[in-house]
Amino acid sequence: MLRDADTAMKNLLWFMGSRNSHLYMSIRRYIDKLDITYSSQINSTVETDERFLITASAVTLALRPFHITNFDVSSIGQLDMCCAAEQYCLCLLTIPWFIQRLPAFLIPALKHQSILSPCFQIFLIRRDKMLSEMLKMDQSDRHDSQKAIPPIGWALTNIICLATGSENGFVDTLDHPSYVQVVITLAENLLAWVDNVGWVKEKKDLQGNVETSAAGIDAVLHDNESLNITYMELFRPVCQQWHLMKLLEIAKTGATSCAAANDKKYLGKLELLDIAYFYSYMLRIFSVFNPMVGSLPVLNLLSFTPGYLLNLWGELENSIFPENGHIAEDNCLRTSKSLVNKKDGILDKRQKQTSKDGANKLVNALHKFTGKSQAGPNYTDTVDGQVDEESSDVWTIESLRYVPQGISKDLSCLLHLFCAAYSHLLLVLDDIEFYEKQVPFTLEQQRRIAAMLNTLVYNGLNHDTGHQNRPLMDSAIRCLHMMYERDCRHQFCPRVLWLSPAKRSRPPIAVAARTHEVLSANMRSDESLTVSSLGSVVTTTPHVFPFEERVEMFREFISMDKVSRKIAGDVAGPGSRSIEIVVRRGHIVEDGFRQLNSLGSRLKSSIHVSFVSECGLPEAGLDYGGLSKEFLTDISKSAFAPEYGLFSQTSTSDRLLIPNAAARYLENGIQMFEFLGRVVGKALYEGILLDYAFSHVFVQKLLGRYSFLDELSTLDPELYRNLMYVKHYDGDVKELCLDFTVTEESFGKRHVIELKPGGGDTSVTNENKMQYVHAMADYKLNRQIFPFSNAFYRGLTDLIAPSWLKLFNASEFNQLLSGGRHDIDVDDLRKNTRYTGGYSEGSRTIKLFWEVVEGFEPKERCMLLKFVTSCSRAPLLGFKHLQPSFTIHKVACDSSLWAVIGGQDVERLPSASTCYNTLKLPTYKRSSTLKAKLLYAISSNAGFELS
């Protein structure tokens, strides 16, 4: 009789768990109507509350079928035994804020192993069926705001809340491998749902169906911001360090799932790859559903959890770099083959080497902290000089040739997570940590990472990446740009590394330029159009083209612009359409500003300049046919001089130009910066070199890039050292008596500026010192010069398109503006020199001239070039691009026969007409005289007046 009663009870419980009973659906409807804040409203009298008793009874009924004796998920044939877990997952775990609706004392029962384990196991075994049913679940009774998140999304958060305890840890006896696999499965399908809804919205928008497209995910999410915030709060446990550390510990120990062994596809040992999938999906979910903060909480966790990035890179290194590959053998990398080929012990060896290198260089770092070193950090010796610039195959990674479609889903996941996390860490990693302490990676590893990113992005842009690969490409591009920017500031990679992916597949310059311009025009007219691979490469990775080719591309852009303006009727020669201005020699900046600043992009056209001498008399015959080169160089010479007050010089040895903070107090100060931007734009547009160079930080603003802490070393090394001292200070920072203010002095007055509201009353402490360091750097690098750089940028882009500027980094921009290396190729200059006034290549004086120039020191040759052209550097692509051509004009002033016999030569000095790049050279008979006169002339820094 007891046996019959037991059998009857089991049959009843099986029936309760079956679909036919509709038990779970009924409980779902009831719990779904409960107040979301129900658990927080329970008080001492709650036991008498009728609703409380009903809720407790409902939960008890829902859990009772799980306690059937010998419940065994492996008995899949007995469907009724597993149906309860299936119905529990489908009906209850998909309820919005399921845990938050229940009394607090009932939650431990839901977290018990006897409930969670069967649910995880059944879900993984029947995943396809259950996911399909979740997607089809009726949400007609939902409020519109709740429809923004599908049942799959609620199942995901409810499982996370159940698996994590309230005291910063997982629930006891949790099946961690199964938990991770369930979260991965639900997260992947939630993101697929988001992509599908977004795709439907975009498709319907293109068809003009406004009413239907309004239900797209973007509109719903943005209209329900409060829902997103409260929904994302449920993901908080996965952003805690204990969560990641525990999973890494389990993966390291090799613990396996306690699930049934009959389906090894989903169940088994927890691997590092599983954790990577887990957090890769979390990154994307936070980006979609948390638009205000984005994936920052997850990135903070991944970047700052000790050893995690090293683990990720160890997996990638073994997957990407082939055994006995070129990079491992190259002498540029001192990494041994064992580092590439042996998986065990990689991290220990790296950490020991890093520790040793850091200890050896600690003394140097301390000198920088304490200010004993008066020079800024110099890391140019970190790149081995033995690398053959032509052997770019060394840096070609064959395993990434056909990315992203040609790589496995597993490798794609690892790459996405590593790129996202490392780019986030690079934001706060200072140069001492990167170059000297070499944490978290050695410089050899950094070169491998740079080569990997460069190859991945270039090949990814050259193939149809597809929407599903967008997260990987976005994170890889961001990380690549940060590595390249750091290398531009302090080189750690050989130049050939950046060129290697495109060595065999670069298109012709003209083709690349024309394709880029057409696509840019299409993007401006219709942002929904997809940019082709060629346009993407030029825009995103211009550094894969050699600098000389990018200069040619820049010139091609300008030529195309001139042609289009000519077709449109905007180009006119000296005549009715040319703009005439009159400029006084003693007021060249003021007159130029008054007459030209309002022209905007019309400065591309020809300008007829008439000069008035300092005596007030018109100068005849100057500049017909375009903006005078002399006017352009003279106005820049005056306006960029520190004495004028608009620009000052950096405290570094190269004395680069940076906007003067005091310029804001000058009359028309901001407008003057906008005007000077147009002057520089005109010089670039016409190919006229200006003998000036701007600071790296200022150019970064013109290129549309934000400057970070370590770029302060190129602007103010002393301030940088002081901030590094504060950052690494071991004692109590309060002893330094700092607050969140900075003091500026201008025209004899001191101005105290707060770095944040109430900064004068906020002391710098150990807790907020990082905030202070970055606030101070942000002010000096970004906020202080923003109004000036913004105005300069507006003027510059009136003539030079922003996309043209982005072909270059900061150093290259200065070369584009002021020319090439600090020496002259005499042979190239000789081949491209014109002779007038009676001189020819065979003239005696001309032969003597070239002999003398070849014997000059490099500095003297540069002085000669500046004397003649007003710029000390040669054109980037050679003297054939110098406009007008370098010219030597004969000045006939022969000495008498008796003077020659007596050892005398011509006494007259050489002179120059810089507006025509012309050297006026007397007919000297002796090389010694020519050399002496020429050196005297070029050292006097004068021109016409020497005549």
Side-chain angles (χ1 to χ4, degrees):
M1 193 169 183
L2 290 175
R3 184 180 301 173
D4 293 340
D6 185 57
T7 301
M9 178 58 70
K10 285 185 179 180
N11 290 335
L12 175 60
L13 293 176
W14 285 337
F15 175 75
M16 290 170 59
S18 68
R19 291 175 179 270
N20 295 333
S21 69
H22 300 289
L23 171 67
Y24 290 97
M25 186 57 68
S26 299
I27 296 174
R28 172 188 177 84
R29 294 194 187 100
Y30 170 75
I31 295 178
D32 202 19
K33 301 298 182 183
L34 296 177
D35 187 356
I36 295 175
T37 59
Y38 181 80
S39 60
S40 63
Q41 296 176 346
I42 299 175
N43 52 43
S44 58
T45 62
V46 76
E47 295 179 0
T48 63
D49 188 351
E50 180 179 344
R51 188 177 61 169
F52 168 77
L53 294 175
I54 297 173
T55 303
S57 300
V59 172
T60 302
L61 288 173
L63 302 182
R64 187 65 184 88
F66 284 85
H67 300 290
I68 300 176
T69 306
N70 298 326
F71 185 98
D72 184 3
V73 74
S74 63
S75 305
I76 297 301
Q78 305 179 41
L79 296 180
D80 288 339
M81 296 181 67
C82 302
C83 194
E86 182 179 315
Q87 289 297 297
Y88 181 84
C89 292
L90 288 172
C91 297
L92 300 189
L93 293 186
T94 56
I95 298 175
W97 291 286
F98 173 54
I99 309 302
Q100 289 70 30
R101 296 177 189 270
L102 300 176
F105 91 97
L106 291 175
I107 305 304
L110 302 177
K111 295 173 177 281
H112 195 269
Q113 179 186 11
S114 62
I115 307 299
L116 288 181
S117 291
C119 288
F120 291 166
Q121 297 163 30
I122 291 299
F123 178 82
L124 292 173
I125 293 171
R126 299 185 178 179
R127 53 177 286 175
D128 294 336
K129 174 187 174 184
M130 294 179 68
L131 288 170
S132 177
E133 292 194 27
M134 284 184 183
L135 289 172
K136 295 176 181 177
M137 291 184 70
D138 183 20
Q139 295 196 78
S140 58
D141 58 341
R142 291 258 177 264
H143 187 272
D144 287 341
S145 65
Q146 294 184 7
K147 293 180 182 179
I149 299 167
I152 289 177
W154 293 113
L156 175 61
T157 55
N158 288 330
I159 285 175
I160 290 174
C161 290
L162 287 171
T164 53
S166 58
E167 299 298 330
N168 292 337
F170 289 106
V171 297
D172 295 336
T173 67
L174 177 70
D175 182 358
H176 295 90
S178 296
Y179 159 71
V180 170
Q181 289 295 338
V182 170
V183 171
I184 288 173
T185 302
L186 290 170
E188 182 179 23
N189 281 271
L190 173 62
L191 291 168
W193 176 86
V194 169
D195 291 341
N196 182 59
V197 173
W199 177 82
V200 171
K201 174 181 182 293
E202 180 181 355
K203 181 178 179 181
K204 291 178 179 177
D205 281 342
L206 293 175
Q207 294 172 347
N209 190 342
V210 178
E211 180 180 356
T212 310
S213 65
I217 182 65
D218 292 335
V220 176
L221 289 177
H222 289 299
D223 290 342
N224 298 281
E225 186 175 323
S226 60
L227 170 68
N228 297 339
I229 294 174
T230 54
Y231 177 69
M232 294 311 299
E233 280 293 314
L234 302 178
F235 285 92
R236 180 180 294 181
V238 304
C239 299
Q240 303 297 316
Q241 196 171 85
W242 62 261
H243 188 281
L244 175 57
M245 293 295 288
K246 182 64 176 178
L247 294 181
L248 291 174
E249 179 186 348
I250 293 171
K252 184 178 180 180
T253 58
T256 57
S257 170
C258 59
N262 62 332
D263 196 337
K264 295 181 180 179
K265 182 178 179 181
Y266 306 121
L267 311 174
K269 180 182 177 182
L270 182 63
E271 301 280 357
L272 182 64
L273 180 62
D274 300 320
I275 303 173
Y277 270 111
F278 185 104
Y279 281 101
S280 178
Y281 290 138
M282 288 300 121
L283 278 174
R284 294 177 57 190
I285 287 173
F286 271 74
S287 297
V288 171
F289 291 96
N290 197 21
M292 294 297 293
V293 180
S295 54
L296 183 62
V298 184
L299 290 174
N300 284 335
L301 170 68
L302 299 175
S303 302
F304 304 122
T305 297
Y308 185 59
L309 275 172
L310 283 169
N311 278 273
L312 277 180
W313 179 243
E315 290 289 320
L316 283 171
E317 202 168 32
N318 283 279
S319 301
I320 292 175
F321 295 100
E323 191 170 359
N324 298 324
H326 291 293
I327 295 181
E329 297 175 347
D330 187 71
N331 59 8
C332 179
L333 293 174
R334 298 186 298 273
T335 311
S336 64
K337 291 184 181 180
S338 62
L339 181 64
V340 182
N341 302 331
K342 295 182 181 179
K343 194 168 184 178
D344 296 332
I346 290 178
L347 300 183
D348 290 338
K349 290 181 182 178
R350 287 191 193 124
Q351 289 165 343
K352 289 177 182 178
Q353 181 62 38
T354 302
S355 235
K356 182 179 178 181
D357 293 343
N360 291 339
K361 298 178 181 178
L362 183 58
V363 175
N364 292 333
L366 288 175
H367 282 314
K368 287 184 170 56
F369 294 158
T370 56
K372 293 181 180 179
S373 174
Q374 295 303 313
N378 181 12
Y379 306 110
T380 56
D381 61 344
T382 56
V383 181
D384 294 340
Q386 296 82 8
V387 179
D388 181 4
E389 290 285 334
E390 299 300 323
S391 60
S392 60
D393 288 344
V394 166
W395 302 102
T396 300
I397 304 173
E398 292 297 324
S399 57
L400 296 179
R401 174 175 289 187
Y402 302 105
V403 295
Q405 291 88 345
I407 61 175
S408 67
K409 183 180 177 182
D410 293 349
L411 182 56
S412 178
C413 171
L414 289 170
L415 285 168
H416 170 230
L417 201 63
F418 177 82
C419 293
Y422 193 43
S423 61
H424 186 64
L425 179 62
L426 284 170
L427 294 175
V428 297
L429 200 66
D430 63 55
D431 281 350
I432 292 176
E433 292 166 325
F434 187 94
Y435 292 98
E436 295 191 13
K437 295 183 179 180
Q438 298 190 28
V439 292
F441 302 110
T442 64
L443 289 180
E444 290 83 355
Q445 291 170 313
Q446 298 286 12
R447 295 183 189 111
R448 283 174 169 258
I449 293 170
M452 178 270 290
L453 291 168
N454 203 37
T455 308
L456 170 65
V457 171
Y458 178 80
N459 290 330
L461 294 174
N462 271 315
H463 297 88
D464 183 15
T465 59
H467 182 74
Q468 69 277 10
N469 295 305
R470 183 69 180 270
L472 167 59
M473 290 303 298
D474 286 347
S475 61
I477 289 171
R478 184 166 55 254
C479 196
L480 172 65
H481 285 169
M482 300 195 72
M483 292 286 280
Y484 179 69
E485 288 289 337
R486 196 173 287 256
D487 184 66
C488 291
R489 191 172 70 252
H490 297 302
Q491 187 181 6
F492 66 94
C493 291
R495 184 178 64 177
V496 71
L497 181 151
W498 303 110
L499 303 175
S500 61
K503 181 182 179 183
R504 297 187 179 91
S505 58
R506 284 198 306 270
I509 299 303
V511 173
R514 286 177 169 79
T515 304
H516 176 267
E517 283 298 277
V518 169
L519 291 167
S520 296
N522 289 338
M523 284 296 292
R524 287 191 289 268
S525 61
D526 187 350
E527 293 295 336
S528 65
L529 293 178
T530 303
V531 181
S532 79
S533 60
L534 181 55
S536 299
V537 167
V538 174
T539 303
T540 308
T541 58
H543 59 258
V544 301
F545 294 87
F547 175 56
E548 294 76 12
E549 292 187 11
R550 280 179 279 136
V551 174
E552 290 183 37
M553 198 180 302
F554 179 81
R555 292 293 169 209
E556 186 69 25
F557 287 150
I558 292 176
S559 299
M560 292 163 57
D561 185 72
K562 289 181 177 179
V563 170
S564 64
R565 288 175 52 244
K566 187 174 182 179
I567 295 174
D570 293 338
V571 177
S576 59
R577 290 199 179 188
S578 63
I579 299 168
E580 298 190 9
I581 63 172
V582 179
V583 178
R584 296 169 295 171
R585 286 287 184 184
H587 301 82
I588 192 167
V589 178
E590 294 79 6
D591 289 352
F593 170 74
R594 177 172 47 82
Q595 298 176 77
L596 297 179
N597 189 48
S598 60
L599 294 180
S601 61
R602 290 179 61 200
L603 267 177
K604 291 180 179 180
S605 302
S606 60
I607 308 294
H608 176 202
V609 181
S610 297
F611 285 101
V612 176
S613 70
E614 294 185 3
C615 299
L617 300 176
E619 297 180 6
L622 292 178
D623 188 32
Y624 285 91
L627 179 63
S628 171
K629 173 177 178 286
E630 181 184 1
F631 165 74
L632 201 63
T633 54
D634 284 354
I635 198 172
S636 62
K637 184 186 300 182
S638 299
F640 290 140
E643 296 79 17
Y644 198 82
L646 293 175
F647 283 85
S648 58
Q649 294 179 327
T650 62
S651 57
T652 53
S653 58
D654 41 18
R655 312 296 291 175
L656 300 175
L657 295 175
I658 188 75
N660 187 348
R664 72 184 68 184
Y665 305 108
L666 296 176
E667 183 180 1
N668 296 325
I670 297 299
Q671 291 85 347
M672 283 297 299
F673 274 95
E674 189 169 340
F675 171 61
L676 291 179
R678 294 191 180 99
V679 169
V680 170
K682 181 65 175 177
L684 292 172
Y685 194 81
E686 300 296 343
I688 298 172
L689 298 180
L690 301 179
D691 203 17
Y692 302 96
F694 297 108
S695 73
H696 181 97
V697 171
F698 181 62
V699 179
Q700 284 286 84
K701 300 295 168 294
L702 305 182
L703 302 181
R705 295 163 188 160
Y706 184 86
S707 297
F708 297 99
L709 172 62
D710 287 295
E711 293 175 61
L712 191 60
S713 64
T714 65
L715 180 65
D716 191 337
E718 182 179 358
L719 177 60
Y720 176 75
R721 287 194 299 270
N722 291 337
L723 290 180
M724 289 298 97
Y725 178 74
V726 173
K727 178 180 177 181
H728 297 276
Y729 191 70
D730 291 333
D732 188 352
V733 177
K734 282 187 177 181
E735 298 170 356
L736 303 179
C737 300
L738 300 171
D739 57 26
F740 280 78
T741 63
V742 60
T743 303
E744 291 182 351
E745 186 170 345
S746 61
F747 305 107
K749 295 183 179 179
R750 295 169 64 87
H751 304 272
V752 177
I753 299 171
E754 293 186 330
L755 299 175
K756 68 176 185 177
D761 300 322
T762 306
S763 298
V764 179
T765 65
N766 287 344
E767 290 70 29
N768 64 17
K769 68 178 182 180
M770 288 299 296
Q771 183 184 355
Y772 168 77
V773 167
H774 287 280
M776 178 67 81
D778 177 61
Y779 178 77
K780 287 291 186 180
L781 296 171
N782 301 294
R783 291 169 51 193
Q784 187 180 51
I785 66 172
F786 175 76
F788 312 118
S789 59
N790 200 32
F792 196 97
Y793 176 81
R794 288 195 302 270
L796 179 62
T797 53
D798 275 344
L799 290 90
I800 305 297
S803 60
W804 305 352
L805 293 174
K806 291 180 180 178
L807 290 173
F808 309 101
N809 60 42
S811 173
E812 292 166 345
F813 176 87
N814 279 329
Q815 292 184 61
L816 187 70
L817 179 65
S818 60
R821 58 199 176 104
H822 292 279
D823 196 4
I824 294 173
D825 185 339
V826 178
D827 290 335
D828 180 47
L829 178 60
R830 187 187 324 208
K831 290 176 184 176
N832 294 282
T833 295
R834 291 193 314 121
Y835 303 100
T836 60
Y839 275 145
S840 67
E841 191 173 356
S843 299
R844 171 180 172 81
T845 302
I846 296 301
K847 291 180 178 179
L848 292 177
F849 172 80
W850 291 119
E851 288 177 7
V852 168
V853 171
E854 285 181 346
F856 274 175
E857 296 293 328
K859 181 180 179 180
E860 294 170 334
R861 285 193 284 265
C862 291
M863 290 169 62
L864 170 65
L865 188 61
K866 184 170 184 178
F867 178 72
V868 179
T869 69
S870 75
C871 184
S872 60
R873 296 192 183 189
L876 289 173
L877 302 180
F879 282 98
K880 67 179 180 180
H881 294 279
L882 182 66
Q883 295 296 329
S885 298
F886 190 91
T887 303
I888 302 179
H889 181 76
K890 182 177 181 178
V891 178
C893 49
D894 293 337
S895 299
S896 66
L897 178 62
W898 295 109
V900 174
I901 294 174
Q904 297 179 10
D905 203 341
V906 177
E907 291 295 329
R908 184 170 180 173
L909 289 169
S911 62
S913 177
T914 57
C915 53
Y916 298 113
N917 294 336
T918 298
L919 173 65
K920 299 179 180 180
L921 188 66
T923 52
Y924 300 111
K925 301 296 188 297
R926 296 184 175 87
S927 61
S928 58
T929 303
L930 192 153
K931 180 177 181 180
K933 298 292 185 181
L934 194 57
L935 283 175
Y936 183 86
I938 64 179
S939 300
S940 65
N941 195 28
F944 279 113
E945 59 269 28
L946 289 178
S947 300

